[in-house]
């Protein structure tokens, strides 16, 4: 199939798609959309890989989301290394994550929880560097610490440490700090209905930007409030093009080209 758009972060493996996943994937194929489907636990990492292996236009990312820590081990960071060593050998695995730091709505979680999350985050970074894979980072009210951990780990891993800040909602300055560390940023459907990120979209060079949906969450206009799906990434690309004042086709081609290179996508 011809791929024209890329949604670099979806959870097509989640239960929200159990009833009609085949139809969702058929729509992707019809519109030329590919996606990286992202694990947030051991279980959903496995289901992401299984799904990717059944479809040319689906790739997988394996990791433990920082908010999963509680559920898994009751505040002890646990990285399922042995399982992941097995999973990472599968050819459709293109990245490690989503991993990172989630300091909650107010950014006011306690220091011990922050430290536990940092341990798990560093384990993902080391694992990704060992396997020479990019990482998919989740950050919520934690940009300062994310930048600090990446900068510290850069000294150890050099160019092998690279990746993307998913669901970027920061300032142009914050975006630049990530670019300086060899990271890209991805925008979601939020940019279709909130004007707060136009400055960041405008300032970021096209070769540093990725498009994503984070489906089933946060559908873009005109689907706002409904379940999101990878095909809706077309609306995100349209908006990026509009904000930057470039042709939609140019934006789509550039973004796809970047993604293919950075995530080493082959289909
Ligand atoms: Zn996600």
């Amino acid at each position: 199939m011809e791929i024209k758009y890329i949604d670099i972060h979806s959870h097509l493996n989640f239960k929200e798609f159990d009833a009609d996943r085949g139809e969702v994937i058929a729509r992707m194929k019809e519109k030329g959309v590919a996606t990286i489907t992202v694990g947030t636990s051991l279980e959903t990492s496995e289901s992401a890989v299984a799904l990717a292996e059944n479809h040319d236009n689906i790739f997988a990312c394996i990791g433990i989301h920082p908010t999963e820590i509680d559920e898994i081990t009751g505040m002890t960071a646990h990285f399922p290394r042995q399982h992941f060593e097995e999973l990472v050998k599968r050819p459709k695995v293109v990245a490690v994550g989503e991993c990172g730091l989630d300091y909650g709505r107010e950014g006011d979680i306690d220091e011990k929880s922050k430290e536990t999350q940092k341990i798990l985050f560093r384990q993902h970074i080391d694992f990704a560097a060992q396997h020479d894979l990019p990482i998919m980072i989740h950050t919520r009210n934690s940009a300062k610490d994310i930048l600090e951990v990446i900068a510290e780990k850069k000294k150890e891993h050099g160019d092998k440490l690279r990746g993307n800040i998913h669901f970027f909602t920061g300032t142009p300055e914050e975006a630049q700090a990530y670019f300086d560390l060899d990271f890209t940023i991805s925008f979601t459907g939020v940019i279709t209905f909130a004007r707060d990120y136009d400055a960041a979209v405008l300032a970021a060079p096209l070769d540093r930007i990725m498009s994503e949906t984070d489906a089933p969450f946060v559908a873009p206009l005109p689907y706002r409030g409904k379940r999101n799906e990878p095909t809706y990434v077309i609306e995100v690309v349209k908006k990026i093009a509009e904000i930057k004042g470039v042709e939609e086709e140019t934006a789509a081609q550039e973004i796809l080209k970047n993604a293919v290179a950075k995530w080493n996508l082959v289909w």
Side-chain angles (χ1 to χ4, degrees):
M1 67 174 281
E2 195 201 345
I3 292 175
K4 291 192 263 181
Y5 299 93
I6 176 88
D7 168 10
I8 63 123
H9 189 116
S10 75
H11 302 286
L12 200 48
N13 48 335
F14 279 16
K15 62 174 182 335
E16 283 86 345
F17 295 103
D18 283 355
D20 63 345
R21 190 171 287 108
E23 289 156 48
V24 172
I25 294 170
R27 284 195 284 274
M28 290 170 63
K29 291 186 174 167
E30 189 192 319
K31 299 280 185 187
V33 175
T35 191
I36 299 175
T37 194
V38 178
T40 53
S41 63
L42 179 56
E43 198 191 353
T44 56
S45 294
E46 280 171 347
S47 60
V49 178
L51 188 60
E53 286 177 343
N54 282 316
H55 301 277
D56 286 350
N57 60 332
I58 302 179
F59 302 88
C61 183
I62 58 169
I64 310 290
H65 195 284
T67 57
E68 290 280 320
I69 290 178
D70 274 329
E71 287 157 50
I72 296 172
T73 56
M75 285 328 294
T76 309
H78 172 68
F79 183 78
R81 177 168 296 277
Q82 223 181 334
H83 283 101
F84 277 0
E85 287 292 354
E86 285 303 311
L87 267 187
V88 81
K89 289 182 194 142
R90 313 262 284 266
K92 293 299 284 285
V93 176
V94 296
V96 173
E98 59 186 298
C99 57
L101 305 172
D102 190 316
Y103 293 173
R105 234 174 246 282
E106 308 295 330
D108 58 353
I109 67 163
D110 60 82
E111 286 305 314
K112 188 175 177 301
S113 305
K114 288 185 182 176
E115 281 314 309
T116 310
Q117 290 194 16
K118 283 184 198 170
I119 292 169
L120 186 65
F121 182 34
R122 290 192 188 99
Q123 286 171 318
H124 281 83
I125 292 175
D126 293 340
F127 180 78
Q130 276 155 24
H131 293 281
D132 199 12
L133 288 173
I135 54 174
M136 180 79 75
I137 293 185
H138 168 95
T139 167
R140 190 187 211 188
N141 288 316
S142 59
K144 189 177 148 284
D145 286 4
I146 291 274
L147 284 163
E148 219 173 86
V149 173
I150 298 174
E152 161 208 313
K153 281 285 175 189
K154 261 288 186 197
K155 292 181 196 141
E156 195 180 332
H157 298 302
D159 290 349
K160 287 210 165 147
L161 172 51
R162 63 203 191 273
N164 176 68
I165 308 297
H166 125 78
F167 213 119
F168 183 80
T169 52
T171 62
E173 293 72 28
E174 216 173 285
Q176 189 57 50
Y178 289 122
F179 302 156
D180 293 343
L181 288 164
D182 221 5
F183 275 72
T184 56
I185 57 175
S186 52
F187 293 102
T188 61
V190 168
I191 66 164
T192 66
F193 55 79
R195 301 277 51 88
D196 312 61
Y197 313 109
D198 286 7
V201 174
L202 195 58
L206 256 186
D207 66 358
R208 293 289 181 169
I209 294 180
M210 301 272 170
S211 51
E212 66 154 300
T213 61
D214 205 17
F217 313 111
V218 207
L221 289 175
Y223 310 102
R224 199 175 174 191
K226 300 197 177 119
R227 181 192 66 180
N228 201 356
E229 62 178 70
T231 299
Y232 299 170
V233 79
I234 295 170
E235 302 303 324
V236 177
V237 172
K238 262 189 207 165
K239 199 55 166 187
I240 291 173
E242 186 191 313
I243 294 169
K244 295 184 92 56
V246 300
E247 292 292 325
E248 190 191 323
E249 209 182 308
T250 309
Q253 282 169 359
E254 285 298 310
I255 290 169
L256 178 64
K257 194 173 82 184
N258 298 335
V260 167
K262 301 267 190 217
W263 308 98
N264 197 16
L265 307 180
V266 182
W267 63 86

